[in-house]
Amino acid sequence: MSHAQHTPELPATVARLDHTAVFASDRQLSAEFLAAVLGLEVGAPFGPFLPVDLGNGVTLDYYEKRDEPIQGQHYAFLVPEEQFDTMIARLEALGVTYFADPGHTEPGRVNDLFGGRGAYFADPDGHNMEIMTRPYVRP
C-alpha cells in the first residue's frame, strides 16, 4: 500500500483552520457557556484541552490558565439565520447582554451588516464573541 492510502485527504484549499486553543480561567465553564449559546455539545477532554466541535471541521480547544490573566480575543461564528433568534434567546436566558457593535456600546441590539444580522457578547473570560448570519464582504 502506498503512503497516500494511509493519509487522510487534505483540503482542496491551501489551508483550513482545524482547531485553535482558547485560554480560559475555567475551561469547563467557558466551554459549556459557548456550547449552550451555540446549541452545541462539549466534547470529552483531550489532554489538557476541552473541545467544542463547531461542526464544520473546526474545534475550539479550551485550555485552562489559572496562573495569569486571560488576554481577551475575538471569535466570530457564522450561524444559520433560522437559529439566530434562538441564540439571542439563550443569551437572554443566561443573563448575558449582547450588543450590536464590537465595542459593546449598543446593548440589547443586533446589527444588520451585509444584509444579515449579528451580535457581540462577552464570554466568562471576556473574549469578544460574535454571531452573524452573513459573512463580511471584504474588498
Side-chain angles (χ1 to χ4, degrees), residues 19-130:
H19 67 276
T20 190
V22 179
F23 296 129
S25 56
D26 181 332
R27 72 180 190 170
Q28 189 75 40
L29 176 70
S30 292
E32 287 178 358
F33 170 81
L34 183 65
V37 172
L38 297 180
L40 302 171
E41 293 184 15
V42 175
F46 180 72
F49 303 105
L50 191 59
V52 175
D53 185 337
L54 300 177
N56 63 348
V58 178
T59 303
L60 297 184
D61 294 330
Y62 281 87
Y63 180 80
E64 201 161 290
K65 288 179 70 173
R66 291 184 177 237
D67 56 344
E68 57 188 272
I70 304 298
Q71 175 68 40
Q73 300 293 319
H74 174 64
Y75 299 92
F77 305 95
L78 186 60
V79 302
E81 174 66 41
E82 60 273 9
Q83 292 182 24
F84 185 84
D85 289 333
T86 300
M87 292 177 188
I88 292 294
R90 290 177 185 141
L91 288 167
E92 291 171 342
L94 292 167
V96 175
T97 302
Y98 57 91
F99 302 84
D101 64 308
H104 294 199
T105 64
E106 299 178 56
R109 297 183 54 208
V110 300
N111 64 54
D112 59 359
L113 296 174
F114 308 108
R117 295 188 294 159
Y120 297 82
F121 57 96
D123 86 338
D125 283 300
H127 292 300
N128 193 15
M129 303 298 198
E130 177 183 8

